Short mmCIF file of all heavy atoms in Angstrom, two decimals:
data_model
loop_
_atom_site.label_atom_id
_atom_site.label_comp_id
_atom_site.label_asym_id
_atom_site.label_seq_id
_atom_site.Cartn_x
_atom_site.Cartn_y
_atom_site.Cartn_z
N LEU A 1029 -2.54 -8.42 27.73
CA LEU A 1029 -3.27 -9.53 27.11
C LEU A 1029 -4.80 -9.45 27.27
O LEU A 1029 -5.53 -9.63 26.29
CB LEU A 1029 -2.75 -10.85 27.66
CG LEU A 1029 -3.25 -12.12 26.99
CD1 LEU A 1029 -3.02 -12.06 25.48
CD2 LEU A 1029 -2.57 -13.35 27.57
N PRO A 1030 -5.36 -9.19 28.46
CA PRO A 1030 -6.82 -9.13 28.56
C PRO A 1030 -7.43 -8.06 27.66
O PRO A 1030 -8.48 -8.29 27.04
CB PRO A 1030 -7.07 -8.83 30.04
CG PRO A 1030 -5.85 -9.30 30.74
CD PRO A 1030 -4.72 -9.05 29.79
N ALA A 1031 -6.78 -6.91 27.59
CA ALA A 1031 -7.31 -5.84 26.74
C ALA A 1031 -7.29 -6.25 25.27
O ALA A 1031 -8.27 -6.07 24.54
CB ALA A 1031 -6.48 -4.57 26.93
N THR A 1032 -6.19 -6.84 24.82
CA THR A 1032 -6.07 -7.24 23.42
C THR A 1032 -7.04 -8.37 23.09
O THR A 1032 -7.66 -8.38 22.02
CB THR A 1032 -4.63 -7.66 23.12
OG1 THR A 1032 -3.74 -6.61 23.51
CG2 THR A 1032 -4.43 -7.95 21.64
N GLY A 1033 -7.17 -9.34 24.00
CA GLY A 1033 -8.08 -10.47 23.75
C GLY A 1033 -9.53 -10.04 23.63
O GLY A 1033 -10.26 -10.50 22.74
N LEU A 1034 -9.98 -9.17 24.52
CA LEU A 1034 -11.37 -8.71 24.46
C LEU A 1034 -11.60 -7.79 23.26
O LEU A 1034 -12.69 -7.78 22.67
CB LEU A 1034 -11.75 -8.00 25.76
CG LEU A 1034 -12.01 -8.97 26.92
CD1 LEU A 1034 -11.99 -8.26 28.25
CD2 LEU A 1034 -13.35 -9.68 26.73
N LEU A 1035 -10.58 -7.03 22.88
CA LEU A 1035 -10.68 -6.23 21.66
C LEU A 1035 -10.85 -7.13 20.45
O LEU A 1035 -11.66 -6.84 19.55
CB LEU A 1035 -9.42 -5.37 21.53
CG LEU A 1035 -9.36 -4.40 20.35
CD1 LEU A 1035 -10.49 -3.39 20.42
CD2 LEU A 1035 -8.00 -3.68 20.32
N PHE A 1036 -10.13 -8.23 20.42
CA PHE A 1036 -10.25 -9.21 19.33
C PHE A 1036 -11.68 -9.75 19.25
O PHE A 1036 -12.29 -9.81 18.18
CB PHE A 1036 -9.26 -10.35 19.57
CG PHE A 1036 -9.19 -11.35 18.45
CD1 PHE A 1036 -8.24 -11.23 17.45
CD2 PHE A 1036 -10.07 -12.43 18.40
CE1 PHE A 1036 -8.17 -12.17 16.42
CE2 PHE A 1036 -10.01 -13.36 17.38
CZ PHE A 1036 -9.05 -13.23 16.38
N ILE A 1037 -12.24 -10.15 20.40
CA ILE A 1037 -13.60 -10.70 20.43
C ILE A 1037 -14.62 -9.65 20.00
O ILE A 1037 -15.56 -9.93 19.25
CB ILE A 1037 -13.92 -11.24 21.83
CG1 ILE A 1037 -13.04 -12.47 22.12
CG2 ILE A 1037 -15.40 -11.61 21.96
CD1 ILE A 1037 -13.10 -12.93 23.56
N GLY A 1038 -14.44 -8.42 20.48
CA GLY A 1038 -15.36 -7.35 20.11
C GLY A 1038 -15.33 -7.07 18.62
O GLY A 1038 -16.39 -6.90 17.98
N LEU A 1039 -14.14 -7.01 18.04
CA LEU A 1039 -14.03 -6.77 16.60
C LEU A 1039 -14.65 -7.92 15.81
O LEU A 1039 -15.36 -7.69 14.81
CB LEU A 1039 -12.56 -6.60 16.21
CG LEU A 1039 -11.91 -5.26 16.57
CD1 LEU A 1039 -10.42 -5.31 16.36
CD2 LEU A 1039 -12.53 -4.12 15.76
N ALA A 1040 -14.38 -9.15 16.25
CA ALA A 1040 -14.95 -10.31 15.53
C ALA A 1040 -16.47 -10.28 15.55
O ALA A 1040 -17.12 -10.74 14.60
CB ALA A 1040 -14.44 -11.60 16.16
N ALA A 1041 -17.05 -9.75 16.62
CA ALA A 1041 -18.53 -9.69 16.72
C ALA A 1041 -19.14 -8.73 15.71
O ALA A 1041 -20.35 -8.79 15.45
CB ALA A 1041 -18.92 -9.28 18.13
N THR A 1042 -18.33 -7.84 15.13
CA THR A 1042 -18.87 -6.86 14.18
C THR A 1042 -18.79 -7.33 12.73
O THR A 1042 -19.30 -6.66 11.84
CB THR A 1042 -18.11 -5.52 14.29
OG1 THR A 1042 -16.77 -5.69 13.81
CG2 THR A 1042 -18.07 -5.04 15.73
N LEU A 1043 -18.13 -8.46 12.49
CA LEU A 1043 -18.00 -8.95 11.12
C LEU A 1043 -19.36 -9.29 10.54
O LEU A 1043 -20.17 -9.97 11.17
CB LEU A 1043 -17.11 -10.19 11.07
CG LEU A 1043 -15.60 -9.98 11.09
CD1 LEU A 1043 -14.89 -11.32 11.16
CD2 LEU A 1043 -15.14 -9.20 9.86
N GLN A 1044 -19.58 -8.84 9.32
CA GLN A 1044 -20.83 -9.16 8.61
C GLN A 1044 -20.47 -9.72 7.24
O GLN A 1044 -19.79 -9.06 6.46
CB GLN A 1044 -21.71 -7.92 8.46
CG GLN A 1044 -22.14 -7.34 9.80
CD GLN A 1044 -23.10 -6.18 9.63
OE1 GLN A 1044 -23.90 -6.16 8.70
NE2 GLN A 1044 -23.04 -5.22 10.54
N ILE A 1045 -20.91 -10.96 7.00
CA ILE A 1045 -20.57 -11.65 5.75
C ILE A 1045 -21.75 -11.59 4.79
O ILE A 1045 -22.90 -11.82 5.18
CB ILE A 1045 -20.19 -13.11 6.04
CG1 ILE A 1045 -19.06 -13.18 7.07
CG2 ILE A 1045 -19.79 -13.82 4.76
CD1 ILE A 1045 -17.79 -12.49 6.65
N GLY A 1046 -21.45 -11.28 3.55
CA GLY A 1046 -22.48 -11.34 2.51
C GLY A 1046 -23.44 -10.17 2.51
O GLY A 1046 -24.53 -10.26 1.96
N THR A 1047 -23.10 -9.04 3.14
CA THR A 1047 -23.99 -7.88 3.16
C THR A 1047 -23.83 -7.10 1.86
O THR A 1047 -22.71 -6.86 1.41
CB THR A 1047 -23.68 -6.98 4.36
OG1 THR A 1047 -22.30 -6.65 4.34
CG2 THR A 1047 -24.00 -7.67 5.67
N PRO A 1048 -24.95 -6.66 1.26
CA PRO A 1048 -24.87 -5.98 -0.04
C PRO A 1048 -24.33 -4.56 0.08
O PRO A 1048 -23.84 -3.99 -0.89
CB PRO A 1048 -26.31 -5.98 -0.52
CG PRO A 1048 -27.13 -6.04 0.73
CD PRO A 1048 -26.33 -6.86 1.71
N SER A 1049 -24.41 -3.95 1.26
CA SER A 1049 -24.01 -2.56 1.44
C SER A 1049 -22.50 -2.41 1.29
O SER A 1049 -21.73 -3.17 1.88
CB SER A 1049 -24.46 -2.05 2.81
OG SER A 1049 -23.81 -0.85 3.13
N LEU A 1050 -22.08 -1.40 0.53
CA LEU A 1050 -20.66 -1.13 0.36
C LEU A 1050 -20.03 -0.71 1.68
O LEU A 1050 -18.92 -1.11 2.01
CB LEU A 1050 -20.46 -0.04 -0.70
CG LEU A 1050 -18.99 0.39 -0.96
CD1 LEU A 1050 -18.18 -0.79 -1.46
CD2 LEU A 1050 -18.94 1.56 -1.95
N GLY A 1051 -20.77 0.10 2.47
CA GLY A 1051 -20.25 0.53 3.77
C GLY A 1051 -20.01 -0.64 4.69
O GLY A 1051 -18.97 -0.71 5.36
N HIS A 1052 -20.95 -1.58 4.74
CA HIS A 1052 -20.79 -2.78 5.56
C HIS A 1052 -19.59 -3.61 5.09
O HIS A 1052 -18.83 -4.15 5.90
CB HIS A 1052 -22.06 -3.62 5.52
CG HIS A 1052 -23.16 -3.06 6.37
ND1 HIS A 1052 -24.46 -3.51 6.29
CD2 HIS A 1052 -23.14 -2.09 7.31
CE1 HIS A 1052 -25.21 -2.83 7.16
NE2 HIS A 1052 -24.43 -1.97 7.78
N ALA A 1053 -19.44 -3.71 3.78
CA ALA A 1053 -18.34 -4.49 3.23
C ALA A 1053 -16.99 -3.86 3.61
O ALA A 1053 -16.05 -4.56 4.00
CB ALA A 1053 -18.48 -4.59 1.72
N LEU A 1054 -16.91 -2.54 3.50
CA LEU A 1054 -15.66 -1.86 3.87
C LEU A 1054 -15.34 -2.04 5.34
O LEU A 1054 -14.19 -2.28 5.72
CB LEU A 1054 -15.76 -0.38 3.52
CG LEU A 1054 -15.72 -0.02 2.03
CD1 LEU A 1054 -15.96 1.47 1.82
CD2 LEU A 1054 -14.39 -0.44 1.41
N ARG A 1055 -16.37 -1.94 6.19
CA ARG A 1055 -16.15 -2.13 7.62
C ARG A 1055 -15.68 -3.55 7.91
O ARG A 1055 -14.78 -3.77 8.73
CB ARG A 1055 -17.41 -1.79 8.41
CG ARG A 1055 -17.67 -0.30 8.55
CD ARG A 1055 -18.70 0.00 9.62
NE ARG A 1055 -20.02 -0.43 9.24
CZ ARG A 1055 -20.92 0.33 8.60
NH1 ARG A 1055 -20.60 1.58 8.29
NH2 ARG A 1055 -22.10 -0.13 8.31
N SER A 1056 -16.31 -4.52 7.25
CA SER A 1056 -15.92 -5.91 7.49
C SER A 1056 -14.50 -6.20 7.01
O SER A 1056 -13.75 -6.93 7.67
CB SER A 1056 -16.91 -6.86 6.79
OG SER A 1056 -18.18 -6.78 7.41
N ILE A 1057 -14.12 -5.62 5.87
CA ILE A 1057 -12.76 -5.79 5.38
C ILE A 1057 -11.76 -5.17 6.35
O ILE A 1057 -10.71 -5.75 6.65
CB ILE A 1057 -12.61 -5.18 3.98
CG1 ILE A 1057 -13.41 -6.01 2.95
CG2 ILE A 1057 -11.14 -5.11 3.57
CD1 ILE A 1057 -13.49 -5.36 1.58
N SER A 1058 -12.10 -4.00 6.87
CA SER A 1058 -11.22 -3.33 7.84
C SER A 1058 -11.07 -4.15 9.11
O SER A 1058 -9.96 -4.32 9.64
CB SER A 1058 -11.77 -1.94 8.17
OG SER A 1058 -11.86 -1.13 7.03
N VAL A 1059 -12.19 -4.69 9.59
CA VAL A 1059 -12.16 -5.50 10.81
C VAL A 1059 -11.36 -6.77 10.58
O VAL A 1059 -10.52 -7.17 11.41
CB VAL A 1059 -13.59 -5.82 11.28
CG1 VAL A 1059 -13.57 -6.91 12.35
CG2 VAL A 1059 -14.27 -4.57 11.80
N ALA A 1060 -11.62 -7.45 9.45
CA ALA A 1060 -10.90 -8.68 9.14
C ALA A 1060 -9.40 -8.42 9.04
O ALA A 1060 -8.58 -9.23 9.49
CB ALA A 1060 -11.42 -9.29 7.85
N SER A 1061 -9.02 -7.28 8.50
CA SER A 1061 -7.60 -6.93 8.39
C SER A 1061 -6.99 -6.72 9.78
O SER A 1061 -5.86 -7.16 10.04
CB SER A 1061 -7.43 -5.66 7.55
OG SER A 1061 -7.94 -5.86 6.24
N ALA A 1062 -7.74 -6.06 10.67
CA ALA A 1062 -7.23 -5.84 12.03
C ALA A 1062 -7.08 -7.16 12.78
O ALA A 1062 -6.08 -7.38 13.48
CB ALA A 1062 -8.17 -4.91 12.79
N LEU A 1063 -8.06 -8.05 12.64
CA LEU A 1063 -7.96 -9.36 13.28
C LEU A 1063 -6.78 -10.15 12.74
O LEU A 1063 -6.04 -10.80 13.49
CB LEU A 1063 -9.26 -10.14 13.07
CG LEU A 1063 -10.53 -9.56 13.71
CD1 LEU A 1063 -11.75 -10.36 13.28
CD2 LEU A 1063 -10.41 -9.54 15.22
N GLY A 1064 -6.62 -10.09 11.42
CA GLY A 1064 -5.49 -10.79 10.82
C GLY A 1064 -4.16 -10.23 11.29
O GLY A 1064 -3.20 -10.98 11.52
N LEU A 1065 -4.09 -8.90 11.47
CA LEU A 1065 -2.87 -8.28 11.95
C LEU A 1065 -2.51 -8.80 13.34
O LEU A 1065 -1.33 -9.07 13.62
CB LEU A 1065 -3.04 -6.76 11.98
CG LEU A 1065 -1.88 -5.96 12.61
CD1 LEU A 1065 -0.61 -6.14 11.77
CD2 LEU A 1065 -2.25 -4.48 12.71
N MET A 1066 -3.50 -8.92 14.20
CA MET A 1066 -3.24 -9.44 15.55
C MET A 1066 -2.65 -10.84 15.49
O MET A 1066 -1.68 -11.15 16.19
CB MET A 1066 -4.54 -9.46 16.37
CG MET A 1066 -5.10 -8.11 16.72
SD MET A 1066 -6.50 -8.27 17.85
CE MET A 1066 -7.14 -6.60 17.80
N LEU A 1067 -3.22 -11.69 14.65
CA LEU A 1067 -2.74 -13.07 14.56
C LEU A 1067 -1.35 -13.12 13.92
O LEU A 1067 -0.52 -13.95 14.30
CB LEU A 1067 -3.73 -13.91 13.76
CG LEU A 1067 -5.11 -14.09 14.42
CD1 LEU A 1067 -6.06 -14.86 13.50
CD2 LEU A 1067 -4.98 -14.82 15.74
N VAL A 1068 -1.08 -12.23 12.97
CA VAL A 1068 0.24 -12.19 12.34
C VAL A 1068 1.29 -11.77 13.37
O VAL A 1068 2.39 -12.34 13.43
CB VAL A 1068 0.24 -11.22 11.14
CG1 VAL A 1068 1.67 -10.91 10.69
CG2 VAL A 1068 -0.55 -11.81 9.99
N VAL A 1069 0.96 -10.79 14.21
CA VAL A 1069 1.89 -10.34 15.24
C VAL A 1069 2.23 -11.48 16.19
O VAL A 1069 3.39 -11.70 16.57
CB VAL A 1069 1.32 -9.14 16.01
CG1 VAL A 1069 2.14 -8.86 17.26
CG2 VAL A 1069 1.28 -7.90 15.12
#
């Protein structure tokens, strides 16, 4: 649990909303998907 919880917080800290860069958007979508997967599990 501590490892997974801190991983969740670290990933959430990388989310960037409204960035024009395609690379940033792809990274944010990937991160949001990983966070969502944790909550679904």
Side-chain angles (χ1 to χ4, degrees):
L1029 188 53
T1032 306
L1034 284 164
L1035 183 61
F1036 186 94
I1037 293 170
L1039 285 170
T1042 69
L1043 279 175
Q1044 298 185 33
I1045 305 300
T1047 54
S1049 165
L1050 178 61
H1052 283 168
L1054 288 175
R1055 284 195 290 269
S1056 292
I1057 291 171
S1058 301
V1059 168
S1061 300
L1063 295 174
L1065 174 64
M1066 292 187 191
L1067 295 175
V1068 167
V1069 168

